[in-house]
Amino acid sequence: MAMAKLILLVALVAATGSSCSAWRLNIRMPTAQAVEDAAERLEENVAAPVIHALRPLLGSGPHLSNLAGVPCDSWRLAVEAYNKRDWKTVPANCEGYVGHYMLGGHYRRDSRVVVDEAVAYAESLKLAGNGKEVWVFDIDETSLSNLPYYATHGFGTKPYNATSFNEYVLEGSAPALPESQRLFYKLISLGIKPVFLTGRTEDQRAITTQNLRRQGYSGWEKLLLKPIGFKANAIAYKSGERQKLQDAGYVIVGNIGDQWSDILGAPEGARTFKLPDPLYYIG
């Protein structure tokens, strides 16, 4: 019986890597940890895909959280709680920790918790039925993932390089975050219209639209991008755009993003949801 279960789990791990999409890759010889993770997914009836084969280790436990004396797990908590601000890069010794957090299943589980709460909230709403209720979505690290880029650029330990990142954006290949996409289509089914509000600039409208559509997004109400040369910080820009939505008669029932600057600044929306992101900070 135990051997049969092991064979089933190995088959599940191998199947997880069979797709050629950006969230999957081939796994030839599953490790013991991979088998354990497959068992967890089997219990949850979820075959969670992966983006990139980082290392054989798939967790983010104590052996990774205290490399060279750096409390990387506590550092990530401070980032997510908005206690640590204005940081430029992930601590160098936390590259492995952040990489394994993002790709080892922990990030997806944390994102799932956020989205489960967002879905429950959305289902509880009493809508006016006039088509004016909207939900604001950030794009990068919320609707689309740039992990294929950051997996080859130090998982945030290297200074931001606008040239190389914009080259990646112009490829239009960023995969969708499955949890956010689940929320997106749940909202549409409920009669709530998604609005994309991104820090990407107007000259990236065509490729951003194409990328979103390639990844299965459709039916959004608006795609709002930053004017070229806009100088204010992210909070001022995004809160200003939300104010314009309200002035146009829309009711912002929800707002979700990976950065605190996505959800701070009046009007925030009736309720906000913060997705995890220890890769970078935008103030």
Side-chain angles (χ1 to χ4, degrees):
M1 182 66 180
M3 180 58 70
K5 184 177 181 180
L6 177 61
I7 292 172
L8 176 61
L9 294 177
V10 169
L12 176 59
V13 172
T16 300
S18 63
S19 171
C20 62
S21 73
W23 276 90
R24 301 176 184 268
L25 82 162
N26 292 320
I27 301 175
R28 296 183 179 181
M29 293 296 292
T31 64
Q33 182 65 54
V35 172
E36 291 180 15
D37 289 348
E40 180 180 343
R41 296 198 299 272
L42 187 63
E43 291 176 358
E44 298 176 352
N45 195 29
V46 175
V50 294
I51 289 181
H52 184 277
L54 179 63
R55 292 175 179 82
L57 300 173
L58 294 179
S60 54
H63 59 293
L64 289 173
S65 66
N66 287 301
L67 290 177
V70 177
C72 299
D73 51 355
S74 297
W75 176 84
R76 183 175 67 83
L77 175 61
V79 166
E80 296 300 348
Y82 203 44
N83 291 320
K84 186 165 185 63
R85 307 179 187 183
D86 301 317
W87 51 279
K88 302 301 182 184
T89 59
V90 172
N93 287 311
C94 294
E95 176 182 353
Y97 173 82
V98 171
H100 285 94
Y101 169 77
M102 296 299 295
L103 301 178
H106 195 168
Y107 168 65
R108 290 288 306 281
R109 292 195 301 272
D110 287 351
S111 298
R112 190 180 307 142
V113 168
V114 176
V115 168
D116 285 348
E117 291 297 318
V119 168
Y121 161 71
E123 290 177 334
S124 74
L125 293 174
K126 304 297 184 183
L127 303 181
N130 57 10
K132 286 295 187 177
E133 288 96 352
V134 298
W135 191 297
V136 175
F137 281 75
D138 174 53
I139 290 184
D140 293 296
E141 272 56 69
T142 298
S143 305
L144 298 175
S145 171
N146 298 309
L147 266 175
Y149 173 85
Y150 284 102
T152 58
H153 289 78
F155 290 102
T157 59
K158 297 179 180 179
Y160 174 68
N161 185 313
T163 299
S164 64
F165 182 74
N166 287 334
E167 288 173 353
Y168 169 77
V169 168
L170 291 175
E171 293 174 6
S173 60
L177 274 113
E179 284 70 34
S180 298
Q181 196 165 61
R182 173 164 62 92
L183 173 62
F184 181 93
Y185 281 109
K186 168 58 72 172
L187 296 172
I188 289 178
S189 73
L190 294 172
I192 301 170
K193 298 179 177 180
V195 170
F196 289 118
L197 173 55
T198 176
R200 294 187 181 196
T201 50
E202 273 291 345
D203 56 337
Q204 296 173 330
R205 177 176 291 276
I207 193 62
T208 299
T209 300
Q210 185 180 73
N211 196 164
L212 288 166
R213 287 176 175 163
R214 282 176 177 172
Q215 292 302 317
Y217 286 102
S218 63
W220 61 81
E221 178 74 359
K222 291 179 179 290
L223 171 58
L224 305 174
L225 297 98
K226 188 190 302 182
I228 297 173
F230 188 85
K231 298 300 183 183
N233 65 24
I235 293 176
Y237 159 62
K238 292 203 168 185
S239 62
E241 292 300 309
R242 291 192 297 269
Q243 185 62 59
K244 291 177 185 177
L245 285 172
Q246 282 198 175
D247 293 345
Y250 290 103
V251 177
I252 304 172
V253 298
N255 181 6
I256 188 168
D258 66 292
Q259 298 289 318
W260 282 95
S261 56
D262 295 329
I263 59 179
L264 293 176
E268 296 90 352
R271 185 165 171 184
T272 62
F273 295 87
K274 168 70 170 64
L275 288 166
D277 183 3
L279 294 170
Y280 56 83
Y281 173 89
I282 297 176

